[in-house]
Amino acid sequence: MNKFTYFCPTKVYFGQGAAADALKQELPKVGKTVMLAFGGGSVKKNGIYDELRTLLLEAGKEIVDFEGIMPNPTYAKVQEGAKLVRERQVDFILAAGGGSVIDCCKVISAQAVIEEDMWSMEYEQGKFPAAGIPMGAVVTASGTGAEMNSGAVITYEEKLWKGPIVGTGAAFAILDPMYTAAVPPMQVMSGAFDTMSHAMETYFGRSDADNVSDDVALAIMRNTVINMRRLTLDINDMQARSNLMWDSAMAENGILKAGRLTDFQAHQIEHQLGAYTDCNHGQGLAVIQPVYYQHILEDAKEKFTRFAKEVFGQDTGEKGLKALAELIKECGLPTKMEQLESKVEITPEVLRQVADTCNIIKSGPRQLSREEIYKILCQCL
Ligand code: NZQ
Ligand code: ZN
């Protein structure tokens, strides 16, 4: 194990009825004006908005709505939210949504108390926020694990860049599997694959052979696969949904990353694909990751064999990757670029730009060249 400091300040309220339990305990601790932030309106259709609003009013809060946070949230939306927080003197942010809403709010929280532009502060000066407007996260679509960390992924449209930005972590997270009941099946599966991807990307980073984090990551992968399969039989299986909801939080709350290096090369490629196409994150990973792994199979042969055995009950890395590809198909996830919803036609020229601009990771099984990334992307066409 490498040296590490682990700290996760997010209190988790898990299970049916978690919102009422959490908000009754947490709201008395926060100021009067609460910004209730959400996405394109699903929370209004499924009753979550009304439920949260009632709990906020019962706690004597004044509510400021902030709506329309889009999937793959933009930096412009962050600035809009931060402006609203300042104008209305918001004391607390309650983010109700999937990774996009939660990420956007994490950066709004920090930007609202920081004078300088967060992007230049982090990317040009290498400074990171120390505090922000306190916030809580209500997870309505699981998969990203965004509720238990302070990192966000934001699209800066003008710069054609989708990438990480550090914000403020949620003080508490509400994980009620019933809140995910109305998530469209494709999003349920793409969220679950994102979880699987996080555990794989962590596991395939360089580490000691006997790193305990590897064992934990493999357990999360196994459980994710079992429960994705259960959902192919019944998408409303709430036991499977609740396992996946906790798998998701576990995969990105830092536990798997303790004492080791991580890879996350597939994520870097997918994020830049997202910058150009606005594609769905989990679906983009489902297309890219198996092809990426074919390319690096020989560079981490033993790890791939262990992955194959422990996650899919197969005896070689090759068979493990075949099983991964089959899982993706079984779950109805896309396997080719043409199946992704995209705002532009995904041509080799677009993929060239993605390959030329994405981050390259040094701590994976092998550092890729831009030419290899382009080749991987073209194989996904
Ligand atoms: O916008 P609304 O109307 O709410 O609809 C959303 C959205 O269209 C819908 N949805 C959410 N909850 C629902 C629901 N529909 C019905 N019923 C509900 N209960 O789901 C759609 C997708 O939502 P989104 O938040 O975009 O999905 P996801 O949770 O997959 O988040 C993706 C974003 O998170 C980033 C991704 O890059 C992407 O921008 N990530 C964040 C990470 C982090 N902070 O740790 C790690 C990840 O690797 C990832 O990069
Ligand atoms: Zn992800």
Side-chain angles (χ1 to χ4, degrees):
M1 294 287 279
N2 299 342
K3 205 175 164 202
F4 70 91
T5 304
Y6 180 73
F7 178 60
C8 179
T10 310
K11 185 168 175 182
V12 176
Y13 291 85
F14 189 97
Q16 200 166 349
D21 294 348
L23 295 182
K24 277 178 193 150
Q25 285 198 48
E26 300 295 335
L27 289 179
K29 302 179 203 165
V30 308
K32 194 167 174 62
T33 309
V34 176
M35 183 167 101
L36 179 54
F38 51 98
S42 70
V43 289
K44 288 207 167 163
K45 288 190 207 122
N46 57 28
I48 295 174
Y49 173 84
D50 286 341
E51 202 169 311
L52 297 175
R53 205 180 147 79
T54 304
L55 288 161
L56 287 166
L57 292 174
E58 277 171 10
K61 304 300 178 191
E62 270 171 24
I63 303 169
V64 175
D65 274 351
F66 182 56
E67 60 189 296
I69 299 174
M70 61 294 276
N72 302 323
T74 63
Y75 194 55
K77 196 69 187 172
V78 167
Q79 295 305 330
E80 186 189 326
K83 188 164 170 268
L84 185 65
V85 169
R86 285 195 212 104
E87 278 170 5
R88 300 290 298 273
Q89 300 187 339
V90 166
D91 299 303
F92 186 78
I93 301 169
L94 191 62
S100 296
V101 171
I102 297 170
D103 275 3
C104 190
C105 288
K106 290 195 274 195
V107 191
I108 290 172
S109 153
Q111 181 69 88
V113 300
I114 289 170
E115 283 297 316
E116 50 197 316
D117 177 74
M118 287 266 300
W119 197 274
S120 23
M121 185 183 103
E122 295 197 13
Y123 277 83
E124 285 155 26
Q125 299 164 53
K127 287 195 296 174
F128 298 94
I133 303 285
M135 70 171 270
V138 184
V139 179
T140 69
S142 79
T144 64
E147 63 275 14
M148 282 183 81
N149 62 51
S150 57
V153 183
I154 300 292
T155 300
Y156 201 137
E157 287 181 300
E158 295 77 5
K159 293 185 192 293
L160 269 172
W161 169 254
K162 182 178 178 191
I165 180 160
V166 177
T168 312
F172 63 87
I174 296 170
L175 288 97
D176 181 346
M178 286 307 290
Y179 272 20
T180 71
V183 177
M186 179 58 101
Q187 178 61 35
V188 173
M189 290 300 192
S190 78
F193 188 75
D194 191 19
T195 300
M196 181 71 188
S197 169
H198 295 156
M200 291 191 290
E201 297 251 54
T202 305
Y203 169 81
F204 284 110
R206 281 186 215 147
S207 71
D208 310 327
D210 60 350
N211 193 312
V212 61
S213 298
D214 280 0
D215 293 270
V216 187
L218 288 162
I220 297 290
M221 288 182 225
R222 242 186 341 263
N223 193 268
T224 302
V225 170
I226 288 169
N227 287 291
M228 285 176 83
R229 291 227 160 95
R230 275 177 71 161
L231 291 184
T232 62
L233 303 175
D234 175 11
I235 194 74
N236 297 314
D237 179 339
M238 291 318 287
Q239 179 62 26
R241 294 278 196 105
S242 67
N243 278 329
L244 287 169
M245 198 170 207
W246 189 233
D247 284 328
S248 154
M250 285 288 288
E252 270 298 295
N253 65 6
I255 286 282
L256 305 191
K257 297 176 186 171
R260 53 160 312 126
L261 297 173
T262 63
D263 181 8
F264 280 84
Q265 184 61 70
H267 266 68
Q268 305 309 311
I269 301 172
E270 194 289 329
H271 285 159
Q272 260 323 73
L273 182 69
Y276 282 83
T277 66
D278 202 25
C279 68
N280 175 280
H281 175 60
Q283 292 181 40
L285 289 170
V287 172
I288 295 165
Q289 206 152 345
V291 181
Y292 166 51
Y293 283 164
Q294 288 293 345
H295 274 252
I296 57 162
L297 180 58
E298 292 302 320
D299 303 289
K301 195 111 193 178
E302 278 178 28
K303 283 206 122 172
F304 274 107
T305 308
R306 185 173 175 202
F307 160 80
K309 278 190 186 141
E310 295 196 25
V311 181
F312 291 107
Q314 300 291 333
D315 56 4
T316 64
E318 288 85 345
K319 287 188 199 161
L321 288 187
K322 211 167 157 222
L324 178 68
E326 273 160 18
L327 173 77
I328 291 168
K329 269 197 203 140
E330 259 172 70
C331 294
L333 286 163
T335 56
K336 291 282 172 197
M337 293 283 179
E338 64 189 17
Q339 293 165 272
L340 296 175
E341 263 182 47
S342 166
K343 66 179 181 185
V344 295
E345 191 192 342
I346 306 179
T347 59
E349 292 69 38
V350 170
L351 298 181
R352 179 85 254 176
Q353 285 173 298
V354 172
D356 286 349
T357 55
C358 76
N359 279 336
I360 294 182
I361 299 287
K362 295 193 170 83
S363 52
R366 176 165 55 87
Q367 189 178 329
L368 297 181
S369 66
R370 296 215 177 273
E371 215 40 56
E372 277 177 295
I373 295 176
Y374 178 60
K375 209 169 145 194
I376 289 168
L377 284 164
C378 286
Q379 262 177 269
C380 300
L381 277 172

